[in-house]
Amino acid sequence: MRISTSGRICLFGEHQDYLGLPVIAAAISRRISIDGTYRNDDQVILHLPDLGIREDFSLRDTFPYVVQRDYFRSTINVLRRKGLVFSRGFECTIHGNIPINSGTSSSSALIVSWAHFLDRMSDNPANYSQKELGEIANAAEVLEFGEPGGMMDHYSTAIGNVIYLESTPEIKVETLTPKLGTFVLGDSLEPKDTLGILARCRFGMEDVIKKVTSFNPQFSIFSTPPEHLTDYRNILSDDELGLLRANVEDRDILLEGKALLSQSAEEAVDQLFDKHFGDLLYRHYKNLRDFKRTSTPKIERMMDAALLAGALGGKINGSGGGGCMFVYAPEKAEEVAAAIEREGGKSYIITVDSGTRIEDANP
C-alpha cells in the first residue's frame, strides 16, 4: 500500500487563524509518501532514509509516549479509540520532497499519510474521508499532546486543492476550484524564528485587542472597518496601531481573495485574474513584512529578484523569520526560480495539487 499527501502554502490569512479569522490555503505538488506492507508479527518498523532514521516499536507498546512528539504512536492510539483494530504490524518506507522545517507542512502531510495508511491497512478499515483524515491527524499531532495549533495544515494537506477554512464560531471548510497557474516556492534555508514571531504576531496582537475592546466593547476584529481604527490612536502606540491595521487589512484582503478565487471560469479573464491575484498576495506580504515583521533581509532579496524576473506577486509562507516564501509565476517560472537561487535560496516550481491519495492499493 502506498499513500501520498501534499504539502501546503497559505495564500491568505497568514498569522490570523489564531485570532479566529479565516484562512485560504493551497496544497502543492511536493509530497510525502508512505509505502508499506504487513508483517507477520506485531512490530511497526518505519524507514526514513531521507533523514537517516529508523523507528520501530510494538503495537502492544504505543502508550505511554516515549518522545515529546511521538506522532506515529499517537496516530495509532487515536484510531484505536475510533474503533480500528490492528492485529498485524507493518514495515514502511517514508520518502518526501517537501522542504522540512520551512512552513510548508511536511509534518502534517506525514501524519495525514500515516493516518490514511493505517486506516486502509487496519483489520476493519473505516475508509475515512479526506476531511476526517485531516481531523484525525490534527488530533494525533496537536490535541494528543496539548499543543497550540489550528486545523489549516491538516485540512489543507488532506483535502488538497484550495480550501477556505473558518474556525469561528465553528469549523467550516469550503473547497475552492480556481484555475491557478504555476508558483515558485523559495526556501531561504534560514531556520525559522517561530517563537520570536509568535511573541509579536500572536501575543502582541492579543494584547492590542484587549486594549481596544476595553476602550470600545463594540470593536470586533471580524467586522470593524479599517477607517474606524484612527479612533484608537490615543490608546495605542504607533507600532501597536500598525499591527492592528495590518490585521484588519489582511482580513479584508482574504475576503477579496476568496471572491476572486470563487469566480467562474467565464468571469476569470486570465491576465486580469493573474495580475489581481498576484497583487493581493503582495499586499498581504507587505503587511507581514512591515508590521508583523515576519520577513528577513534574505527573503526580501529573493522576493525582489523574483518580481524583477517576472513573478506577479507573492508572500512569505508559514510562521516566518526564515523558512519559505513563494511567488505566483504563471509565466517565466524557470526564470523566476533561477533568480531566487541567485539570491541563495533553493527554488521549486510547483502547482496546486490534490490532497491525500492512494498511489498503490496493493497491501
Side-chain angles (χ1 to χ4, degrees):
M1 174 72 68
R2 183 165 68 251
I3 303 286
S4 80
T5 302
S6 59
R8 71 101 185 98
I9 54 176
C10 176
L11 300 179
F12 302 108
E14 199 81 77
H15 281 290
Q16 297 215 290
D17 54 340
Y18 45 67
L19 301 175
L21 291 163
V23 294
I24 297 176
I28 60 173
S29 53
R30 309 290 296 183
R31 306 182 69 88
I32 283 183
S33 65
I34 295 181
D35 194 344
T37 189
Y38 293 113
R39 290 178 56 86
N40 293 322
D41 55 25
D42 67 357
Q43 295 297 300
V44 176
I45 299 177
L46 304 168
H47 304 275
L48 294 85
D50 299 341
L51 302 177
I53 294 172
R54 167 181 160 142
E55 186 162 344
D56 57 270
F57 56 90
S58 167
L59 284 169
R60 294 174 296 173
D61 185 27
T62 59
F63 196 85
Y65 300 123
V66 299
V67 295
Q68 184 178 9
R69 292 172 173 145
D70 208 344
Y71 299 146
F72 292 118
R73 286 181 174 87
S74 66
T75 308
I76 292 173
N77 290 333
V78 168
L79 290 170
R80 277 177 164 161
R81 290 185 210 123
K82 296 174 86 58
L84 266 58
V85 175
F86 304 99
S87 62
R88 289 182 286 175
F90 316 102
E91 187 150 1
C92 306
T93 300
I94 299 171
H95 284 292
N97 60 13
I98 304 172
I100 297 173
N101 296 324
S102 298
T104 45
S105 297
S106 58
S107 174
S108 298
L110 171 59
I111 304 310
V112 169
S113 286
W114 181 229
H116 197 173
F117 175 87
L118 289 170
D119 175 25
R120 297 292 175 152
M121 297 289 278
S122 68
D123 297 0
N124 54 335
N127 297 322
Y128 291 114
S129 68
Q130 291 174 318
K131 179 176 180 289
E132 289 170 326
L133 289 167
E135 292 165 351
I136 290 164
N138 179 262
E141 191 175 3
V142 176
L143 303 182
E144 193 75 2
F145 297 95
E147 296 185 358
M151 295 289 295
M152 173 178 63
D153 294 357
H154 305 94
Y155 274 139
S156 181
T157 59
I159 296 171
N161 298 303
V162 179
I163 64 164
Y164 167 82
L165 172 63
E166 289 182 1
S167 57
T168 303
E170 59 185 22
I171 291 175
K172 172 188 172 184
V173 184
E174 182 180 341
T175 300
L176 307 178
T177 56
K179 185 180 177 182
L180 289 172
T182 305
F183 293 81
V184 180
L185 180 69
D187 188 348
S188 70
L189 307 177
E190 297 176 306
K192 294 188 300 172
D193 179 24
T194 301
L195 295 179
I197 295 296
L198 280 176
R200 172 175 177 75
C201 291
R202 178 174 187 167
F203 306 129
M205 188 57 196
E206 287 173 346
D207 287 343
V208 168
I209 291 174
K210 286 179 184 177
K211 286 184 180 182
V212 170
T213 52
S214 295
F215 178 77
N216 177 14
Q218 301 304 312
F219 171 82
S220 170
I221 192 64
F222 301 99
S223 59
T224 295
E227 57 267 24
H228 288 187
L229 300 184
T230 54
D231 297 345
Y232 310 114
R233 285 179 299 185
N234 294 330
I235 64 165
L236 298 176
S237 67
D238 290 345
D239 190 52
E240 289 171 327
L241 185 61
L243 187 60
L244 176 61
R245 190 179 300 279
N247 273 289
V248 169
E249 287 181 358
D250 285 344
R251 175 201 71 192
D252 294 344
I253 287 169
L254 179 140
L255 295 175
E256 190 174 345
K258 182 175 186 287
L260 180 68
L261 295 170
S262 301
Q263 287 182 355
S264 66
E266 292 75 20
E267 292 176 299
V269 180
D270 287 349
Q271 288 186 336
L272 294 177
F273 173 95
D274 287 342
K275 185 179 185 307
H276 190 180
F277 179 62
D279 286 345
L280 288 175
L281 290 175
Y282 193 67
R283 283 170 57 195
H284 190 10
Y285 169 70
K286 287 193 292 185
N287 280 331
L288 291 166
R289 179 193 67 193
D290 297 341
F291 297 102
K292 302 183 187 182
R293 300 176 191 165
T294 66
S295 192
T296 68
K298 183 175 182 180
I299 287 174
E300 290 172 32
R301 293 194 302 271
M302 291 163 59
M303 180 67 72
D304 291 344
L307 295 174
L308 284 172
L312 299 180
K315 58 178 283 292
I316 193 165
N317 187 63
S319 58
C324 284
M325 49 76 80
F326 68 85
V327 291
Y328 185 53
E331 299 178 0
K332 300 184 178 180
E334 292 184 358
E335 294 93 327
V336 169
I340 288 172
E341 300 227 343
R342 284 195 295 271
E343 295 300 329
K346 174 67 176 173
S347 64
Y348 308 88
I349 296 174
I350 58 173
T351 54
V352 174
D353 203 359
S354 61
T356 189
R357 66 190 183 215
I358 299 172
E359 306 282 4
D360 184 350
N362 184 359

